[in-house]
């Protein structure tokens, strides 16, 4: 299917606003990615993964797509697959926001849940990966395999280019790391014009693997998966800031009340890290990863 005039909601992906917030210290700008159609920056990567696979024939018309996801990638994939007519099979967990599971189903995805009552444990993501691979092997579905998919990383470059159009110069970028796709795509694009960019990777303090700590259980959805993301190398960042669950949650709540930035725990972690870096007098860009609407029934806004 050509893109001309047939892409419905897909044409609303990207070109999101950038807003300034006062956190103390240097200036901080926040890229408002909740403005994407499913309320998260994952819409960018879902479209990039699907369209690259369409172009080179890995994905054929009507073929089933499969993925493991905490629900943000899944919501975006469900949206893109709905518009483009691909059946979607999702492996997720009840450790993630119920809103995300419902969103995937609203777009018509077939969602299988792995029970994980303690939260995002070190065992959970590997179990989800194994199940998605099993489904791909058994059914011949196209597995987008987000952690290893370089198309998704490239799909975030545009976000970096947009940031450069919106703020001409700044010192640092802070980004919460899950697959590291957004962090890598954005920082690579920015570094082309600002080669001295200070790249700050953000992770949960309770599972601070990038900082050299042990994998652990935490509640900052979307990252801290308990192992080193395969596309990220030590040369890809200049600093790691580890944020405790409680600080990420408090920061997300404060962002809603003080700045009108209504978002989830990973955005809270980004803003908490941005505050630390801005306190050194640096100018910082960070990201509102997704909308607080995805977290209304969970503990964050209870
Ligand atoms: C809510 C949320 N925050 C942050 C991230 C991290 O983004 P990335 O996978 O690009 O590193 C994700 C990814 O799943 C997410 O869902």
């Amino acid at each position: 299917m050509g893109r001309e005039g047939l892409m419905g909601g897909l044409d609303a992906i990207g070109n999101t606003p950038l807003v300034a917030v006062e956190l103390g210290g240097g200036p901080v700008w926040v890229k408002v990615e909740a403005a994407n159609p499913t309320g998260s920056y994952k819409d960018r990567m879902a479209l990039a993964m699907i369209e690259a696979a369409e172009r080179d024939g890995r994905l054929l018309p009507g073929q089933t797509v499969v993925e493991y996801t905490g629900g943000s990638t899944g919501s975006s994939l469900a949206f893109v697959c709905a518009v483009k007519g691909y059946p979607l099979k999702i492996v997720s967990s009840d450790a993630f926001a119920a809103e995300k599971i419902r969103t995937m189903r609203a777009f018509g995805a077939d969602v299988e849940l792995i029970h994980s009552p303690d939260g995002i444990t070190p065992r959970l993501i590997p179990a989800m990966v194994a199940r998605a691979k099993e489904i791909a092997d058994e059914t011949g579905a196209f597995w987008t395999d987000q952690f290893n998919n370089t198309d998704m990383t490239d799909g975030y470059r545009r976000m970096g280019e947009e940031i450069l159009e919106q703020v001409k110069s700044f010192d640092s970028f802070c980004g919460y790391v899950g697959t590291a796709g957004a962090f890598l795509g954005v920082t690579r694009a920015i570094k082309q014009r600002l080669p001295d960019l200070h790249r700050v990777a953000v992770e949960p303090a309770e599972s601070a693997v990038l900082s050299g700590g042990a994998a652990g259980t935490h509640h900052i959805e979307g990252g801290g998966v308990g192992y080193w993301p395969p596309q990220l190398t030590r040369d890809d960042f200049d600093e790691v800031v580890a944020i405790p669950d409680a600080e990420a949650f408090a920061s997300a709540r404060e962002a809603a009340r003080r700045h009108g930035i209504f978002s989830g725990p990973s955005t809270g972690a980004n803003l908490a890290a941005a505050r630390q870096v801005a306190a050194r007098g640096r100018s910082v860009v960070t990201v509102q990863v997704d909308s607080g609407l995805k977290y209304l029934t969970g503990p964050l806004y209870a």
Side-chain angles (χ1 to χ4, degrees):
M1 194 190 292
R3 297 208 49 172
E4 308 77 27
L6 293 171
M7 302 313 289
L10 300 187
D11 286 334
I13 296 174
N15 294 317
T16 56
L18 188 85
V19 299
V21 293
E22 175 58 55
L23 298 181
V28 176
W29 293 274
V30 182
K31 185 74 167 152
V32 181
E33 287 291 296
N36 283 298
T38 76
S40 123
Y41 65 39
K42 296 276 170 177
D43 290 350
R44 297 176 186 267
M45 62 83 92
L47 186 65
M49 291 195 300
I50 294 298
E51 292 201 330
E54 284 176 330
R55 275 195 301 274
D56 63 20
R58 281 172 294 149
L59 176 60
L60 300 173
Q63 188 178 354
T64 297
V65 175
V66 63
E67 186 58 290
Y68 61 92
T69 162
S72 299
T73 295
S75 298
S76 299
L77 268 177
F79 154 59
V80 172
C81 287
V83 176
K84 286 175 168 278
Y86 299 106
L88 177 65
K89 175 89 188 174
I90 289 292
V91 180
S92 191
S93 168
D94 56 5
F96 304 108
E99 286 84 347
K100 297 179 186 175
I101 312 295
R102 286 195 180 181
T103 302
M104 294 188 276
R105 290 183 170 141
F107 283 112
D110 176 10
V111 184
E112 180 178 313
L113 296 179
I114 294 178
H115 190 46
S116 186
D118 294 335
I120 308 160
T121 67
R123 286 187 313 281
L124 178 61
I125 305 291
M128 288 163 54
V129 175
R131 180 63 187 134
K133 183 173 187 317
E134 190 175 76
I135 292 168
D137 290 345
E138 281 171 5
T139 67
F142 169 64
W143 179 20
T144 40
D145 191 9
Q146 52 173 328
F147 271 83
N148 296 298
N149 189 315
T150 53
D151 300 324
M152 73 105 185
T153 312
D154 290 342
Y156 286 114
R157 279 182 178 267
R158 178 71 200 129
M159 192 169 137
E161 290 161 6
E162 288 171 22
I163 290 169
L164 286 170
E165 286 160 15
Q166 290 165 311
V167 51
K168 294 292 168 260
S169 186
F170 54 97
D171 303 320
S172 304
F173 176 82
C174 296
Y176 188 64
V177 169
T179 65
F183 185 81
L184 288 170
V186 169
T187 55
R188 282 173 184 159
I190 294 172
K191 250 180 128 45
Q192 287 190 330
R193 215 184 68 210
L194 304 177
D196 296 331
L197 179 74
H198 180 72
R199 300 158 302 175
V200 181
V202 182
E203 68 174 354
E206 284 87 353
S207 188
V209 170
L210 303 180
S211 307
T217 300
H218 69 93
H219 298 87
I220 310 178
E221 290 185 32
V225 290
Y227 54 88
W228 195 279
Q231 296 192 56
L232 186 74
T233 72
R234 285 180 195 280
D235 293 336
D236 291 320
F237 55 87
D238 304 297
E239 180 181 355
V240 185
V241 171
I243 302 291
D245 279 5
E247 189 180 344
F249 275 54
S251 163
R253 292 183 192 119
E254 186 191 277
R257 290 181 188 183
R258 275 195 55 205
H259 307 294
I261 294 180
F262 182 43
S263 54
S266 63
T267 301
N270 276 347
L271 289 166
R275 182 199 303 276
Q276 284 184 27
V277 176
R280 302 175 209 154
R282 288 177 181 270
S283 50
V284 184
V285 170
T286 192
V287 184
Q288 180 212 25
V289 178
D290 62 2
S291 167
L293 291 172
K294 290 180 183 248
Y295 304 90
L296 275 180
T297 62
L300 180 57
Y301 295 112

